């Protein structure tokens, strides 16, 4: 029963946080309100704006793709500096790690709001926010992947007199590639959802369309937009699975 | 000649040093097998020689050059001339057998060229020859994941052949192989010794292989040398010193 104290702590945290958010079971007696709201107002989906909605979906996908790919390209070389088993110097290691942690700690919505005065409304502030945030995320993820690599191939490349670059390209990269793909697709999915939320601050795409329609009580349009989001996320998920299967 | 003097290594967080004041001279052309229990310091000693592990104190001199005093650049050029075979083969995953063999020449290639995978025809030809020599010429295009343990170690030996080293180090190269495959790998290594005159220094778990192939046996226990002599001198008494009972 060594786990008993841990279980106890989890219980205390659950009660403490639940109390804090004012959870009250009796409120859920009126769950019927939500069911009625959806069933009476959200169906059938309104397809009248279908063309615009599809274009908005593509916009959202492009925003998420561009920002995650750009972030990956920037973070990838930097994350080698932030990996203890590759970094050429302690100050580079600590410095790059600190930068990753700092930029990851800034919420994306704050970054987007900061960029609006410069870039105006539209996708760009959201894209910048996503790039910056994802550099931090990829940097941390990839550098920790590098640190978790099997030492063997690294040792082998060093032992034949290979350079640090050889170690990275032949010792580390091939081991890491499948992991990078699977993490990338996960981050792409997260970025799509963030893009939707950033629609609230005028980032365009499906998120903004959904938010606007919701504010104008056009719930049947919202239904169609939600369906498109599901299509998009599912498509990304299947593409990711397909590529993961290929890269082994 | 390989001269090790006063070699000491203590890993941080460990109570006992891994190596305590090791001194050892290996003449060129010797085949030295290093025996000892797990944790006796065998891996540390062999890895100090090409500085995969940084020694704390002591000096290592190979053919008149001080390995312990080398900077990064000198160390790289030294490592080209020293082959190394590992217990777990340490091939480069997800790459072809041929690329793995070509890797033996990384130390001799300009980085920009090899990093983009643009190997010369000469490199490919040499790699194929090395593969033929270990009997794996037909597997050049295979990925290393498709190979058996014994085949992988032969690829690792082909990688060593690419380096054309004068010294071969090995950290238990047969410990994860079955007896028949082990015998075969030991015969390859024995061939490198006899036919190419390589100086060989191997950590081994298997006393019989050591006796059958080595010209000299070193016993390590608790980070110190407790036996040093020809295989004929290794009797039960000596073995008890190398492998003390708890």
């Amino acid at each position: 029963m060594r786990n008993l104290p841990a279980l106890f702590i989890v219980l205390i945290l659950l009660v403490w946080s639940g109390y804090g958010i004012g959870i009250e079971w009796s409120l859920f007696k009126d769950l019927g309100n939500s069911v009625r709201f959806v069933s009476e107002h959200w169906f059938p989906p309104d397809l009248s704006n279908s063309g615009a909605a599809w274009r908005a979906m593509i916009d959202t996908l492009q925003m998420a793709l561009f920002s995650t790919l750009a972030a990956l390209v920037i973070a990838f070389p930097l994350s080698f500096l932030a990996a203890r088993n590759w970094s050429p110097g302690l100050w580079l290691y600590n410095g790059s790690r600190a930068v990753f942690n700092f930029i990851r700690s800034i919420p994306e919505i704050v970054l987007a709001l900061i960029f609006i005065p410069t870039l105006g409304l539209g996708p760009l502030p959201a894209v910048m926010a996503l790039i910056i945030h994802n550099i931090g995320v990829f940097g941390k993820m990839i550098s920790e992947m590098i640190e978790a690599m099997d030492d063997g191939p690294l040792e082998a490349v060093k032992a034949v007199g290979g350079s640090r670059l050889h170690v990275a390209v032949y010792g580390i990269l091939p081991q890491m590639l499948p992991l990078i793909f699977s993490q990338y697709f996960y981050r792409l999915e997260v970025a799509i959802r963030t893009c939707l939320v950033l629609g609230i601050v005028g980032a365009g795409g499906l998120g903004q369309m959904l938010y606007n329609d919701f504010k104008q009580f056009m719930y049947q349009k919202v239904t169609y937009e939600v369906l498109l989001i599901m299509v998009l996320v599912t498509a990304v998920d299947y593409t990711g699975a397909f590529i993961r299967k290929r890269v082994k | 000649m390989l001269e090790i003097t006063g070699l000491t290594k203590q890993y941080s967080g460990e109570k006992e040093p891994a190596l305590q004041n090791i001194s050892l001279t290996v003449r060129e052309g010797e085949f030295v097998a290093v025996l000892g229990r797990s944790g006796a310091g065998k891996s540390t000693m062999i890895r100090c020689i090409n500085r995969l592990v940084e020694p704390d104190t002591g000096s290592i001199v190979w053919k008149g050059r001080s390995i312990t005093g080398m900077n990064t650049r000198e160390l790289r050029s030294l490592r080209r001339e020293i082959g190394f075979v590992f217990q777990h083969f340490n091939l480069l995953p997800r790459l072809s057998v041929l690329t793995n063999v070509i890797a033996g020449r990384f130390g001799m290639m300009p980085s920009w060229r090899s990093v983009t995978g643009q190997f010369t025809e000469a490199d490919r030809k040499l790699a194929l020859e090395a593969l033929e020599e270990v009997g794996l010429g037909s597997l050049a295009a295979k990925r290393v994941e498709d190979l058996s343990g014994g085949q992988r170690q032969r690829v690792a030996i082909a990688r060593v052949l690419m380096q054309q080293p004068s010294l071969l180090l090995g950290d238990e190269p047969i410990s994860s192989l079955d007896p028949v495959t082990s015998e075969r790998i030991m015969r390859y290594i024995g061939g490198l010794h006899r036919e190419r005159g390589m100086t060989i220094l191997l950590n081994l778990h298997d006393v019989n292989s050591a006796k059958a192939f080595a010209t000299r046996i070193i016993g390590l226990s608790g980070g110190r040398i407790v036996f040093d002599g020809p295989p004929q001198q290794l009797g039960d008494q000596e073995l008890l010193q190398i492998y003390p009972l708890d």
Side-chain angles (χ1 to χ4, degrees):
Chain A
M1 281 280 99
R2 275 186 308 134
N3 296 332
L4 214 57
L7 197 68
F8 191 64
I9 288 170
V10 170
L11 252 148
I12 287 183
L13 285 175
L14 198 64
V15 170
W16 174 73
S17 51
Y19 186 77
I21 61 171
I23 202 162
E24 213 177 301
W25 300 115
S26 61
L27 286 175
F28 285 93
K29 279 189 307 201
D30 298 329
L31 198 62
N33 291 352
S34 294
V35 175
R36 220 171 306 119
F37 173 52
V38 171
S39 60
E40 285 172 13
H41 298 281
W42 290 47
F43 288 99
D46 178 355
L47 308 183
S48 60
N49 250 353
S50 186
W54 275 89
R55 271 193 299 281
M57 183 183 79
I58 300 294
D59 286 346
T60 299
L61 176 64
Q62 284 172 327
M63 285 161 68
L65 258 181
F66 182 79
S67 36
T68 46
L69 286 175
L72 185 62
V73 166
I74 297 167
F76 183 76
L78 296 177
S79 45
F80 280 81
L81 303 178
R84 193 177 282 278
N85 52 349
W86 194 89
S87 191
L90 203 60
W91 65 272
L92 269 172
Y93 168 78
N94 286 320
S96 48
R97 222 145 242 246
V99 169
F100 289 150
N101 284 334
F102 174 71
I103 59 180
R104 211 174 49 247
S105 67
I106 311 171
E108 284 133 319
I109 192 147
V110 173
L111 286 170
L113 289 169
I114 289 172
F115 277 108
I116 287 176
T118 305
L119 302 168
L121 285 177
L124 287 184
V127 166
M128 283 307 295
L130 276 168
I131 290 178
I132 291 171
H133 184 78
N134 276 301
I135 288 174
V137 175
F138 280 129
K140 181 187 163 71
M141 242 164 44
I142 298 174
S143 60
E144 285 176 1
M145 259 183 226
I146 296 171
E147 289 179 351
M149 287 295 102
D150 173 14
D151 250 2
L154 281 73
E155 263 197 327
V157 176
K158 283 184 206 163
V160 297
S163 64
R164 202 180 285 278
L165 201 57
H166 283 126
V167 172
V169 172
Y170 286 97
I172 297 172
L173 188 58
Q175 284 193 67
M176 194 164 64
L177 214 57
L179 279 173
I180 289 187
F181 272 108
S182 69
Q183 294 295 337
Y184 172 76
F185 276 97
Y186 173 64
R187 288 310 302 175
L188 178 61
E189 198 185 310
V190 173
I192 288 171
R193 265 179 302 222
T194 310
C195 280
L196 297 172
V197 173
L198 292 178
I200 296 175
V201 295
L206 206 45
Q208 185 169 351
M209 186 176 253
L210 188 146
Y211 185 64
N212 289 343
D213 288 341
F214 197 85
K215 276 194 303 190
Q216 296 168 56
F217 314 112
M218 297 194 281
Y219 300 122
Q220 285 159 295
K221 286 189 176 164
V222 171
T223 305
Y224 185 57
E225 285 143 19
V226 170
L227 287 173
L228 282 186
I229 291 170
M230 289 161 74
V231 167
L232 180 60
V233 171
T234 311
V236 167
D237 192 44
Y238 272 94
T239 314
F242 176 76
I243 291 180
R244 272 203 303 279
K245 215 181 266 175
R246 286 295 172 94
V247 183
K248 260 189 187 152
Chain B
M1 206 154 65
L2 177 72
E3 287 173 275
I4 302 176
T5 320
L7 188 67
T8 300
K9 172 70 184 179
Q10 171 134 29
Y11 294 104
S12 55
E14 298 280 315
K15 265 195 282 181
E16 297 288 316
L19 293 178
Q20 305 193 48
N21 199 21
I22 297 274
S23 293
L24 171 68
T25 303
V26 178
R27 286 181 310 280
E28 275 164 59
E30 279 193 286
F31 188 142
V32 180
V34 183
L35 297 176
R37 289 177 26 163
S38 304
K42 302 192 300 292
S43 285
T44 305
M45 187 176 87
I46 216 99
R47 278 176 163 72
C48 278
I49 296 173
N50 69 348
R51 280 178 51 195
L52 284 178
V53 168
E54 284 295 333
D56 294 338
T57 56
S59 82
I60 303 171
V61 178
W62 168 244
K63 289 186 172 176
R65 290 183 293 164
S66 164
I67 295 178
T68 32
M70 285 180 172
N71 62 27
T72 317
R73 194 188 190 85
E74 293 165 327
L75 187 60
R76 271 193 68 192
S77 91
L78 170 96
R79 283 172 173 169
R80 291 172 202 169
E81 309 162 25
I82 300 182
F84 204 113
V85 279
F86 300 86
Q87 178 179 357
H88 300 293
F89 327 128
N90 292 2
L91 299 183
L92 313 177
R94 308 185 56 256
L95 297 175
S96 73
V97 167
L98 193 72
T99 307
N100 263 280
V101 177
I102 291 175
R105 289 182 77 78
F106 278 172
M108 295 160 235
M109 296 175 189
S111 273
W112 59 269
R113 193 173 189 122
S114 42
V115 158
T116 51
Q118 296 176 317
F119 306 118
T120 60
E121 261 325 294
D123 285 336
R124 283 172 201 282
K125 199 163 160 280
L126 269 174
L128 267 174
E129 282 168 15
L131 273 174
E132 297 287 351
E133 203 161 326
V134 296
L136 293 178
S138 58
L139 300 182
K142 286 248 184 210
R143 264 169 61 147
V144 290
E145 282 76 14
D146 300 332
L147 269 53
S148 69
Q151 290 172 330
R152 287 182 200 204
Q153 196 61 295
R154 278 147 72 193
V155 172
I157 290 173
R159 179 169 69 189
V160 166
L161 292 176
M162 287 292 274
Q163 289 176 260
Q164 299 176 325
S166 46
L167 173 63
L168 174 65
L169 306 173
D171 190 18
E172 310 211 1
I174 56 169
S175 294
S176 40
L177 300 172
D178 64 70
V180 178
T181 316
S182 294
E183 170 80 22
R184 185 163 187 191
I185 296 293
M186 283 307 294
R187 266 195 264 120
Y188 274 117
I189 295 175
L192 298 179
H193 173 240
R194 273 193 324 276
E195 288 150 31
R196 296 181 181 234
M198 271 187 215
T199 308
I200 293 182
L201 195 62
L202 293 189
N203 293 336
L204 290 175
H205 247 335
D206 180 28
V207 177
N208 291 331
S209 300
K211 281 182 153 179
F213 289 93
T215 59
R216 176 180 173 191
I217 289 181
I218 304 277
L220 276 188
S221 177
R224 297 173 196 278
I225 294 179
V226 294
F227 176 83
D228 183 352
Q232 307 83 273
Q233 270 177 30
L234 189 69
D236 292 346
Q237 200 65 39
E238 289 76 18
L239 278 171
L240 260 175
Q241 273 186 299
I242 301 174
Y243 301 101
L245 301 168
D246 287 316

